Amino acid sequence: MSARSLPKRRLGKTDFDITLVGFGAWAIGGPDWGWGSQDDTRSIAAIRHAVERGINWIDTAPVYGLGHSEEIVREALSTIPRSECPLIFTKAGLIWDPDNRNALPARIGNAQSIRREVEASLKRLGVDVIDLYQVHWPANDGTPVEDWATFAELKKAGKVRAIGLSNHDRALLERAATVAPVDVVQPPFSAIKRQFAETDLPWVQAHGSGVIAYSPLQSGLLTGAFTPARARALPKDDWRSRDEEFSGEALHRNLAFAEGLRPIAARHGTTVAAIAAAWAISWPGVTGAIIGAREPGQIDGWIDAATLTLTSRDLDDIEDMLLATRAGSGPTRPDLARAA
């Protein structure tokens, strides 16, 4: 299979056919609400390498690096012919304080703010239209979810091509769908955080929305390269240093599970990361998975997930390992019969 012929799936209610993995641009935003310091030249190289490997979509957001991630995406794509550029997905609704960059961003959903945000993202990304525009988190400024009608208006106006909701539970999805079709849903979903498959995925399937799952490698825990020492050494400006999955008994269980994926990876001649990502993608209704990278070599570590099909034996073994290690919570195995 050539570098530019990765399998694709139709993304829900959109007219996009996307590769089963996409480039996640959170980490390349740098230390501001991100993953610690980052070399921009390596970020640009990583994005270009992803495109060279056949990946045809990038997921970013204004809050990643407080605008910096979107700017790096623009720079990385500046030398790629327009016809070969990947789809660009970004978000709105998290507003930071420019005078206090460390303050928790506010969740703002009012129409005036969203319209300012879309113009700012278009400028930072250097594009005329955003392919997928998503509400990043439910607003807590008193704006009801039904006001996401603003996103539908932006779609009608040609500012964006498709609209979606990230981090919204089933109750909010149901309310939003009474106002405008939910083209795409973006939830956290991995072998460690599995609740989406039980609580929201049935609704998504019934309504024909696409699903782009984020953190299928649980922010590095399921790469096969993470260790307790690395967790202890995470700098304070890396959000993972404060996440419960990266410490104590949870860390022990997560790393034991990741280690248990090695025999499955060996059977396929691939990596633990590829197996972990393929597990998330194997669930009926999940269109693709967002996977981050800080440098080109990291992409090569998980790109096999784009072409890998897990067998029933693989899925049984993964389920057994989840039960044995007691890592995470939620359903432990996809029902592939439902995909037939």
Side-chain angles (χ1 to χ4, degrees):
M1 180 172 291
S2 70
R4 294 185 180 275
S5 59
L6 296 178
K8 299 178 179 67
R9 293 173 179 167
R10 178 57 56 97
L11 181 59
K13 298 175 181 294
T14 76
D15 59 0
F16 310 146
D17 292 320
I18 66 168
T19 50
L20 277 58
V21 295
F23 184 93
W26 183 8
I28 67 171
D32 288 317
W33 286 101
W35 299 56
S37 60
Q38 172 68 12
D39 182 341
D40 289 347
T41 60
R42 302 304 292 161
S43 299
I44 291 169
I47 293 172
R48 290 175 178 170
H49 186 61
V51 176
E52 289 169 358
R53 293 298 308 265
I55 292 172
N56 76 341
W57 55 288
I58 295 173
D59 182 84
T60 185
V63 78
Y64 301 160
L66 310 189
H68 192 58
S69 176
E70 289 185 328
E71 293 169 344
I72 291 298
V73 169
R74 179 193 65 212
E75 178 64 23
L77 301 184
S78 64
T79 60
I80 299 175
R82 180 71 67 175
S83 61
E84 298 178 16
C85 279
L87 299 164
I88 298 177
F89 304 164
T90 194
K91 311 176 188 76
L94 293 186
I95 306 298
W96 61 89
D97 181 352
D99 296 324
N100 184 4
R101 297 171 73 88
N102 293 321
L104 189 68
R107 297 183 184 181
I108 306 298
N110 68 72
Q112 185 178 15
S113 180
I114 296 301
R115 292 184 183 282
R116 283 197 301 265
E117 284 195 72
V118 74
E119 295 299 335
S121 284
L122 286 166
K123 182 177 180 179
R124 283 191 294 263
L125 290 165
V127 297
D128 297 323
V129 60
I130 292 166
D131 295 305
L132 171 63
Y133 204 44
Q134 304 157 94
V135 182
H136 203 153
W137 281 89
N140 62 7
D141 64 341
T143 303
V145 69
E146 288 82 1
D147 278 15
W148 97 298
T150 303
F151 283 68
E153 293 165 3
L154 292 174
K155 181 179 177 180
K156 185 176 181 180
K159 296 285 186 180
V160 306
R161 296 174 63 193
I163 55 176
L165 297 168
S166 176
N167 298 301
H168 286 60
D169 63 21
R170 179 170 181 160
L172 291 176
L173 294 174
E174 290 177 343
R175 288 171 55 188
T178 65
V179 175
V182 181
D183 296 331
V184 179
V185 173
Q186 183 180 147
F189 187 50
S190 73
I192 292 173
K193 288 193 178 290
R194 308 185 297 271
Q195 296 89 341
F196 169 76
E198 181 175 28
T199 58
D200 303 333
L201 186 54
W203 183 93
V204 172
Q205 289 179 280
H207 287 75
S209 301
V211 176
I212 49 174
Y214 74 82
S215 292
L217 304 185
Q218 201 55 49
S219 306
L221 285 172
L222 299 182
T223 61
F226 216 87
T227 65
R230 185 174 173 188
R232 290 191 297 270
L234 289 170
K236 291 183 178 180
D237 61 358
D238 187 320
W239 69 271
R240 295 175 296 177
S241 66
R242 302 177 295 279
D243 187 85
E244 61 183 10
E245 298 292 351
F246 286 80
S247 63
E249 183 62 24
L251 177 65
H252 173 75
R253 293 175 181 175
N254 294 338
L255 295 184
F257 170 69
E259 188 65 23
L261 297 181
R262 291 193 187 279
I264 304 170
R267 284 204 296 264
H268 289 273
T270 190
T271 64
V272 167
I275 296 296
W279 182 89
I281 299 166
S282 70
W283 284 76
V286 175
T287 316
I290 303 165
I291 313 180
R294 292 168 163 246
E295 57 184 47
Q298 292 178 339
I299 294 165
D300 297 330
W302 48 253
I303 191 69
D304 283 356
T307 55
L308 181 62
T309 299
L310 296 180
T311 67
S312 291
R313 178 190 174 190
D314 297 330
L315 294 171
D316 287 342
D317 288 350
I318 293 171
E319 181 176 42
D320 290 344
M321 187 56 57
L322 286 171
L323 296 174
T325 61
R326 294 182 294 127
S329 61
T332 53
R333 194 187 193 285
D335 181 3
L336 298 187
R338 295 179 63 184

